[in-house]
Amino acid sequence: MPPIPALKLAVSVEDYLEGEQLTDIKHEYLDGQVVAMGGASRKHGLIAAALAFALGAQARARRCQLFIADMKVRVEHEGETFFYYPDLVLTCDPEDRHNLYCTRPCLIIEVLSKGTERIDRREKRLAYGLLPSLREYVLVDQDALCIDRYRRTPQGWAHDRMVEGALHLDCLELDIPLSEIYADIE
């Protein structure tokens, strides 16, 4: 007789949030299931830092809050709750000030790696798209000069791919040259 698979007990939102404050390892929360996150590469860190530097002054001038890697985004949908740690998240809503997570971001940026690309392109894009406040979702390839921007329009989500020029962000009315984003990448 084959072994009986172990039951996975659901973790409550409260227990998850409490546990995240007590550990050095970050975990995402998928409606009761907790998944540990891996570390980032040098390229990943350099790209995320370049983006944060490029966005910081404009975010501050608009009284927005920019977070790098350590702020969760909470997504609620049909009675299910999800928490993700995007590489960068920008919230400009003065009511979106929970201490442990954002619920109304206008911009989310993920730096892609081989291990996260599928999840970032599918699961997270769909989950983040459920947030009414989200205006843009940006995916930055760490291994090639290529950026995908999804932006909300009255007709739905539009997609742009950039391999040269600049990344335009409606949320901050800002253009960032791709050469600046990838400046430290060989």
Side-chain angles (χ1 to χ4, degrees):
M1 174 181 261
I4 298 172
L7 292 175
K8 291 185 179 181
L9 299 177
V11 175
S12 71
V13 168
E14 295 77 17
D15 287 346
Y16 163 73
L17 291 172
E18 183 179 327
E20 282 301 278
Q21 294 179 76
L22 302 175
T23 182
D24 293 333
I25 300 169
K26 293 189 281 187
H27 301 83
E28 292 185 327
Y29 180 88
L30 309 175
D31 198 44
Q33 299 305 309
V34 178
V35 179
M37 296 179 61
S41 71
R42 176 180 291 274
K43 287 181 188 178
H44 185 283
L46 290 169
I47 290 169
L51 283 161
F53 185 75
L55 297 172
Q58 187 73 352
R60 189 172 290 125
R62 292 180 172 266
R63 296 185 177 205
C64 298
Q65 293 183 336
L66 177 66
F67 298 96
I68 308 162
D70 288 329
M71 180 57 73
K72 292 175 283 303
V73 171
R74 182 177 185 154
V75 178
E76 300 275 347
H77 181 67
E78 295 183 355
E80 296 180 333
T81 304
F82 303 87
F83 288 93
Y84 298 104
Y85 281 97
D87 292 312
L88 288 102
V89 61
L90 179 76
T91 181
C92 297
D93 186 330
E95 300 297 315
D96 191 11
R97 298 296 189 254
H98 192 281
N99 192 44
L100 301 176
Y101 54 83
C102 295
T103 57
R104 297 183 224 166
C106 64
L107 169 67
I108 293 175
I109 300 176
E110 295 282 9
V111 180
L112 301 175
S113 69
K114 285 179 178 54
T116 65
E117 182 172 6
R118 186 179 57 79
I119 291 169
D120 291 340
R121 286 194 183 280
R122 293 185 182 133
E123 176 186 327
K124 289 184 180 182
R125 183 169 62 88
L126 293 172
Y128 292 149
L130 297 170
L131 298 166
S133 62
L134 190 68
R135 293 176 59 190
E136 293 164 297
Y137 179 51
V138 177
L139 299 171
V140 181
D141 193 321
Q142 72 175 354
D143 295 319
L145 200 146
C146 182
I147 296 178
D148 289 292
R149 177 183 69 145
Y150 297 87
R151 62 185 175 84
R152 192 183 300 270
T153 71
Q155 295 77 33
W157 287 93
H159 172 249
D160 302 308
R161 174 166 282 172
M162 289 140 277
V163 294
E164 61 183 8
L167 168 64
H168 177 76
L169 297 173
D170 294 336
C171 200
L172 290 175
E173 297 177 19
L174 179 66
D175 290 306
I176 308 168
L178 270 62
S179 60
E180 190 175 318
I181 296 168
Y182 288 93
D184 298 319
I185 306 302
E186 296 174 6

